Amino acid sequence: MAEWANYALVPGSGDPGAYELYESRFGAPGLDLDLLAGPDVVLPFVRGHRAAHGQWRDDVRCEGAALVDEGRKVLLSFVQDGPRTCLRHRAAALELLGHAWPGWESRHTYDGPAELRAYLGLDPEAVRDPQLGVAAGALIAPGDEELAEDDPWVTAVTVGPDRCHLVAATGDHPIAEGPALLERLAGAPDHGRCGLAVLSGLHIDPERRRVGWWLPGAQAGAYEMAARWPGWTVTFWRDRWDAHGRACGGLFTPPPVDRARALAEVRDEAREHWAQRRDETALAAVDRAWRRAVRTRAPGGTG
């Protein structure tokens, strides 16, 4: 199965209409680690890929993408799988990314390739799934083998002050289901509370008709989810899982993150990734980003 990645490069002239588009059939899983080598390595690396001739992969098939605006020094990117999507490693991965691209503005695009197209002045709807369906993940029962993983591929859904359910993160984020999600959760296995480093989360307050959700990856139409919950107040917390914990009164409390360990683990993963290509320049760039990070005080947020 393909794991498509798109790469859009805006030349130094700063004209978005002159962008170059490339693609990689299996580039998405390693995109996070590719970017940690910085612009001097990444730009020629991207230009070595197959030209896409303006044909973007849609938001179902595109599992990772990056836009590099050389003139404005802007980097937009997202991944669906990588250290950035892992609670243990996200803050470290974003911190290292900032040090690998010094002087650049780096932003995560929660709406996937549509958000990159909007930056270029292109129609974001052109990469939407024409079926407009919702792929709902299965409900996870206590004791499921997935829950034993360090980074379980599940979404924590808390309801009111005392219910916690886990949903397989194999399709759309549960926020996309709208209020019908509450009906699906009726009688679902209750985990009591969640202390796992899950992939994403959602809190529903039925009494106040409020919903808050977060994810470190991307969801098609991320900024329009309020329309799927008519009569409700919907807050998109982006990657702020701590907001979920506060909203649900501690029903969701993931393990604390060891910053130094996380920085070292992401660095090692990036080094292993680039070592397979025998690219000494990239390896040196990854090491420089890591050294800059360890000399810097921990940032105040999650990135």
Side-chain angles (χ1 to χ4, degrees):
M1 181 181 293
E3 297 170 298
W4 288 101
N6 271 139
Y7 313 90
L9 302 184
V10 180
S13 64
D15 176 13
Y19 78 95
E20 307 162 17
L21 186 67
Y22 302 88
E23 64 180 13
S24 171
R25 184 178 179 87
F26 299 105
L31 182 58
D32 252 0
L33 304 175
D34 291 334
L35 294 177
L36 293 182
D40 291 343
V41 173
V42 170
L43 287 168
F45 168 73
V46 167
R47 288 191 167 104
H49 285 77
R50 180 173 61 189
H53 304 293
Q55 299 300 309
W56 293 71
R57 298 290 164 177
D58 64 33
D59 56 17
V60 173
R61 295 169 182 81
C62 185
E63 299 183 23
L67 182 153
V68 183
D69 186 333
E70 297 182 70
R72 298 177 182 176
K73 288 196 171 183
V74 172
L75 170 66
L76 306 182
S77 60
F78 84 94
V79 293
Q80 296 287 30
D81 186 16
R84 201 190 311 184
T85 66
C86 162
L87 261 64
R88 294 183 302 121
H89 291 151
R90 179 173 176 82
L94 291 176
E95 190 177 348
L96 288 172
L97 184 65
H99 287 295
W101 295 70
W104 287 66
E105 177 189 356
S106 177
R107 301 202 307 264
H108 182 91
T109 62
Y110 293 94
D111 196 9
E115 199 166 342
L116 273 64
R117 285 179 57 86
Y119 178 91
L120 295 169
L122 303 173
D123 180 12
E125 298 304 312
V127 291
R128 296 296 187 208
D129 176 11
Q131 303 299 320
L132 297 177
V134 176
L139 298 173
I140 301 294
D144 189 286
E145 62 181 12
E146 180 66 27
L147 304 183
E149 299 292 330
D150 288 335
D151 308 296
W153 201 259
V154 299
T155 298
V157 181
T158 53
V159 182
D162 54 11
R163 287 170 54 197
C164 179
H165 307 284
L166 297 180
V167 180
T170 52
D172 288 300
H173 191 288
I175 188 69
E177 297 182 48
L181 175 63
L182 279 170
E183 299 176 21
R184 193 161 78 93
L185 294 176
D190 187 352
H191 292 254
R193 63 178 298 277
C194 177
L196 304 173
V198 297
L199 184 72
S200 55
L202 167 70
H203 179 64
I204 305 172
D205 185 338
E207 182 177 344
R208 298 182 180 181
R209 296 179 68 82
R210 293 180 179 176
V211 179
W213 67 290
W214 62 273
L215 84 167
Q219 166 64 47
Y223 306 109
E224 288 84 45
M225 286 299 153
R228 303 198 182 197
W229 292 76
W232 292 67
T233 298
V234 178
T235 302
F236 180 25
W237 291 316
R238 299 178 183 251
D239 67 349
R240 290 172 38 234
W241 55 85
D242 56 324
H244 184 177
R246 291 192 296 270
C248 68
L251 290 179
F252 169 63
T253 310
V257 174
D258 182 326
R259 174 178 176 264
R261 178 177 178 180
L263 287 170
E265 288 177 348
V266 176
R267 174 207 60 193
D268 291 348
E269 190 175 352
R271 282 188 56 84
E272 181 178 356
H273 176 75
W274 280 103
Q276 295 173 1
R277 298 171 179 155
R278 299 183 180 180
D279 192 322
E280 295 298 326
T281 303
L283 290 172
V286 169
D287 285 340
R288 281 197 302 273
W290 174 76
R291 287 195 296 270
R292 289 168 182 158
V294 297
R295 290 196 299 263
T296 304
R297 294 184 62 182
T302 59

